[in-house]
Amino acid sequence: MLCLKLSLVVIVILALTGSFWWAISISTSSRGHIFRGYRRLQEQLVSDLWDIGELSLGPSRLKEIEFCPEESENYIPCFNVSENLALGYSDGNEYDRQCGHGSRQSCLVLPPVNYKIPLRWPTGRDVIWVANVKITGQEVFSSGSFTKRMMMLEEEQISFRSASLMFDGVEDYSHQIAEMIGLRNESNFIQAGIRTILDIGCGYGSFGAHLFSKQLLTMCIANYESSGSQVQLTLERGLPAMIGSFNSKQLPYPSLSFDMLHCARCGIDWDEKDGIFLIEADRVLKPGGYFVWTSPLTNVHAFLRNKEMQKRWNFVRDFAENICWELISQQDETVVWKKTTKKSCYNSRKPGSGPSKCSKGQDVESPYYRSLQNCIGGTNSRRWVPIEERVTWPSRSNLNKNELALYGLHPEELNEDTAHYKTTVRNYWSLLSPLIFSDHPKRPGDEDPSPPHNMLRNVLDMNARYGGFNAALLEAGKSAWVMNVVPTSGPNYLPLILDRGYVGVLHNWCEAFPSYPRTYDMVHAEGLLSLETDQHHRCTMLDLFTEIDRLLRPEGWVIIHDTAPLIKKARALTVQLKWDARVVEVESNSDERLLICQKPFFKKQATS
């Protein structure tokens, strides 16, 4: 016991000495800004070490959560195909999201046995560790779609580099789409009003990866797959993706959300169920937006020899015309339609020639996994603005007074939010940089690369409000993209976030997020604990934190900003989660606190 106490004293001295030398080495301008917060971090460090000493004197007051069995390393609650089949779901509905009370696991999901920290961008966008994902060699090479072709490097990596034929195909393909729209190349997409793209059945994200360098943001959605998942591999590359299905429910996006929808052999039969999938695609597409479809079904030479293919193509072509899409170009297997910019088009159709417009009661702007509707949505929205009439990116993120009025906001509210998050991002980096850019933590069994080996590719903002954190990261020059989540329990500004040129989704945090484990480098939540506590939900704070742990990659960061009592409760839970955690005061005489955590990299074997 005496040795333990002496060890704690030595740790305290070393920590304070190291932090002192770091504090005097930073620039004078930064020193004044962060010294106060960092001093409180030192004080909290002493307090935390004292707590460790207290815990060591007796039985643990908080039981650590156990690790899940090894077969759960890719576990996603709400997506259990075998259970759904047993419940009678079929016709593709077994792959749908079904969230019941027993859909959560009260354990921590371990990474695969040979998991490695993802490579930093831009390399990590093109090369991933094969052990980090669940995929077989047959799945790697079995797909005929160029968006899925990959090249194995040695035995440990999968490469999507430009040296591969696949990437050249994507580059040429993107160029072809731009020309079909009437543009010189894909670099001109932004000039045409295109910033956000929904890539349906995205292969492994190569289309979005290529466009990312052109300042275009592509959200990949695909069905749940237990192995060889399009979504999992896209996320492992650090690119935007989530599980989403057209089978029976509307997507959790507002109407009029995306500038372009893209489907390259995406596996959706658009001619089925009387065109209801095309109606949903139309709902989330902005006025004047583009629908790009690449499929053998559109190949004129092929369907001249196949009457069934010709029949199916004729249905899609005629249905698209009946929902006021203009076919602007067709080359080889690719067709591009443009959605009408005029609501009057729907009234000028021949009676009975297409689905009717949704009534105001049916036309819910932000549905949450509601059943698919057989009527044209979005026509009652005040946000019906053609993409050509919107300010192009990046000016698009700064909405004017008239535009903000569509969301019931005043410029002062957005300006205050913007100023707040500029300061917030600056403070976060001041606190995190000494840790991110140090040689801590050591990775078990690995040689550390040169710092910084803690990179930030993506952020999950669990309570995004107006998208201010996203805006501040971009303005600060961070290359990370943000998944802006708007909780169903609070005010819904998701339409504003998407109209600013960001990506996001509506979500109930008492349910599991539709993503694979180890998805995000950082999780941010400001005011979420207060919001969920006020709602008196059926889920506990521990449920929420266990889900955060599932979504966070090893060595990833969690930043929670909330009231002192809630942060105190949250701090206690981090012991159960095995996170490294510190509490920092936001400013003097404030009841708010920051909880900054890092998830350790555990290589312990799971036990059944």
Side-chain angles (χ1 to χ4, degrees):
M1 186 58 66
L2 179 61
C3 291
L4 176 61
K5 291 180 179 178
L6 288 173
S7 298
L8 289 172
V9 170
V10 171
I11 291 172
V12 171
I13 293 171
L14 290 175
L16 295 178
T17 303
S19 62
F20 169 76
W21 284 110
W22 172 80
I24 64 173
S25 66
I26 60 174
S27 66
T28 305
S29 58
S30 299
R31 189 182 307 156
H33 186 72
I34 67 173
F35 181 76
R36 194 171 298 173
Y38 195 74
R39 181 178 178 183
R40 295 190 186 100
L41 183 62
Q42 294 174 336
E43 295 167 355
Q44 187 62 44
L45 172 63
V46 176
S47 174
D48 290 345
L49 290 169
W50 179 259
D51 289 343
I52 294 171
E54 286 187 329
L55 289 171
S56 69
L57 296 176
S60 176
R61 293 179 293 186
L62 292 171
K63 183 180 178 181
E64 288 189 345
I65 300 174
E66 295 182 354
F67 292 114
C68 299
E70 189 172 354
E71 59 266 22
S72 298
E73 63 189 26
N74 294 297
Y75 173 68
I76 308 176
C78 303
F79 291 92
N80 190 322
V81 177
S82 58
E83 184 178 309
N84 290 343
L85 286 170
L87 292 172
Y89 292 101
S90 60
D91 298 327
N93 295 329
E94 66 271 22
Y95 295 100
D96 271 356
R97 177 180 177 275
Q98 309 290 344
C99 284
H101 287 286
S103 60
R104 287 186 179 273
Q105 281 191 348
S106 54
C107 56
L108 303 181
V109 178
L110 276 170
V113 173
N114 296 315
Y115 179 87
K116 293 184 179 181
I117 300 298
L119 299 169
R120 296 193 303 278
W121 271 11
T123 304
R125 208 159 44 224
D126 299 326
V127 179
I128 64 173
W129 300 109
V130 69
N132 290 8
V133 295
K134 187 175 181 181
I135 190 168
T136 65
Q138 182 179 358
E139 287 168 333
V140 169
F141 296 108
S142 63
S143 173
S145 169
F146 71 83
T147 57
K148 278 191 174 182
R149 291 185 196 134
M150 298 182 298
M151 179 176 65
M152 300 291 287
L153 286 184
E154 301 174 352
E155 295 182 355
E156 294 188 332
Q157 294 177 328
I158 299 173
S159 175
F160 308 84
R161 288 186 183 277
S162 58
S164 71
L165 294 174
M166 181 281 302
F167 188 92
D168 292 338
V170 168
E171 189 169 17
D172 292 341
Y173 174 66
S174 304
H175 192 84
Q176 176 190 354
I177 293 172
E179 290 183 334
M180 292 173 73
I181 290 173
L183 305 173
R184 184 176 179 181
N185 54 49
E186 62 271 32
S187 299
N188 299 118
F189 275 151
I190 286 180
Q191 296 176 20
I194 300 168
R195 155 67 177 171
T196 55
I197 300 168
L198 184 66
D199 194 2
I200 304 162
C202 61
Y204 298 129
S206 294
F207 183 64
H210 172 61
L211 296 180
F212 194 89
S213 62
K214 314 296 182 184
Q215 297 190 57
L216 298 165
L217 201 52
T218 303
M219 171 59 70
C220 159
I221 61 165
N223 282 338
Y224 166 77
E225 298 164 288
S226 60
S227 180
S229 166
Q230 303 171 68
V231 171
Q232 187 182 37
L233 268 79
T234 301
L235 289 167
E236 187 62 27
R237 299 176 71 178
L239 298 164
M242 61 176 280
I243 300 171
S245 171
F246 276 81
N247 287 330
S248 62
K249 297 174 183 176
Q250 290 182 314
L251 298 170
Y253 308 120
S255 300
L256 319 180
S257 289
F258 296 94
D259 306 316
M260 177 185 282
L261 267 63
H262 174 253
C263 162
R265 301 190 181 189
C266 62
I268 294 180
D269 296 321
W270 297 105
D271 58 310
E272 288 192 354
K273 297 187 179 181
D274 299 321
I276 200 168
F277 302 145
L278 284 170
I279 294 174
E280 175 63 3
D282 177 83
R283 183 186 71 82
V284 298
L285 187 61
K286 290 182 183 293
Y290 299 91
F291 183 85
V292 181
W293 184 30
T294 297
S295 167
L297 204 64
T298 68
N299 190 316
V300 177
H301 301 293
F303 66 59
L304 285 176
R305 299 188 299 270
N306 188 317
K307 296 299 181 183
E308 180 61 27
M309 286 180 64
Q310 185 175 8
K311 180 182 176 181
R312 294 178 64 192
W313 160 247
N314 288 341
F315 176 89
V316 174
R317 182 195 60 198
D318 294 343
F319 195 90
E321 183 180 350
N322 289 333
I323 57 175
C324 294
W325 289 5
E326 178 190 0
L327 198 162
I328 61 173
S329 186
Q330 183 173 3
Q331 291 182 20
D332 303 322
E333 294 187 350
T334 300
V335 183
V336 178
W337 283 277
K338 183 177 176 66
K339 179 176 175 175
T340 185
T341 60
K342 299 178 180 181
K343 296 182 186 179
S344 59
C345 174
Y346 303 111
N347 299 325
S348 63
R349 297 174 299 171
K350 295 179 181 178
S353 62
S356 61
K357 294 192 299 182
C358 293
S359 65
K360 287 188 177 181
Q362 293 174 301
D363 200 359
V364 177
E365 184 164 59
S366 295
Y368 186 66
Y369 297 107
R370 192 176 66 152
S371 296
L372 289 170
Q373 302 293 300
N374 196 21
C375 58
I376 298 174
T379 58
N380 296 294
S381 174
R382 296 195 300 165
R383 296 169 45 246
W384 183 282
V385 180
I387 62 172
E388 300 94 332
E389 296 178 16
R390 292 181 179 272
V391 178
T392 57
W393 179 263
S395 301
R396 176 171 164 178
S397 63
N398 301 312
L399 304 182
N400 61 39
K401 181 179 179 180
N402 293 334
E403 291 170 326
L404 288 174
L406 298 176
Y407 316 95
L409 283 179
H410 297 287
E412 295 77 16
E413 294 175 277
L414 189 63
N415 292 339
E416 183 180 341
D417 185 74
T418 300
H420 164 70
Y421 278 109
K422 280 183 182 178
T423 303
T424 295
V425 166
R426 192 162 57 241
N427 287 342
Y428 286 172
W429 252 252
S430 296
L431 290 168
L432 289 177
S433 292
L435 301 174
I436 292 177
F437 289 87
S438 70
D439 61 353
H440 173 81
K442 292 288 185 184
R443 296 178 187 155
D446 289 351
E447 289 186 9
D448 287 336
S450 57
H453 53 247
N454 275 77
M455 77 304 194
L456 198 62
R457 305 164 302 169
N458 53 27
V459 178
L460 177 68
D461 193 355
M462 300 177 72
N463 186 23
R465 286 177 55 79
Y466 312 142
F469 188 53
N470 193 155
L473 284 172
L474 288 174
E475 186 163 326
K478 311 301 178 188
S479 61
W481 63 271
V482 179
M483 175 65 87
N484 294 281
V485 181
V486 174
T488 56
S489 55
N492 182 9
Y493 289 104
L494 184 58
L496 166 66
I497 290 171
L498 292 165
D499 288 350
R500 295 183 73 180
Y502 309 142
V503 292
V505 68
L506 199 62
H507 185 65
N508 177 1
W509 280 117
C510 280
E511 299 171 349
F513 194 71
S515 186
Y516 288 81
R518 304 172 297 279
T519 294
Y520 291 97
D521 299 329
M522 177 182 284
V523 175
H524 174 256
E526 180 170 340
L528 180 68
L529 302 184
S530 295
L531 180 64
E532 295 297 329
T533 301
D534 291 343
Q535 297 295 321
H536 303 292
H537 278 306
R538 66 184 183 275
C539 55
T540 66
M541 190 183 293
L542 184 58
D543 290 333
L544 186 65
F545 277 43
T546 305
E547 177 63 2
I548 292 174
D549 185 87
R550 186 184 72 86
L551 296 170
L552 192 66
R553 70 164 175 84
E555 295 186 8
W557 296 89
V558 181
I559 301 179
I560 298 174
H561 183 171
D562 226 297
T563 62
L566 288 171
I567 290 296
K568 183 178 180 181
K569 182 179 178 181
R571 171 67 179 86
L573 293 179
T574 62
V575 177
Q576 295 180 262
L577 293 159
K578 307 175 179 68
W579 291 352
D580 300 323
R582 296 289 178 265
V583 176
V584 184
E585 285 187 26
V586 177
E587 52 187 46
S588 58
N589 302 321
S590 171
D591 187 43
E592 296 181 351
R593 299 288 186 275
L594 282 180
L595 178 63
I596 300 179
C597 315
Q598 187 176 32
K599 175 181 175 178
F601 183 5
F602 290 107
K603 283 200 171 184
K604 176 183 175 182
Q605 297 293 323
T607 56
S608 302

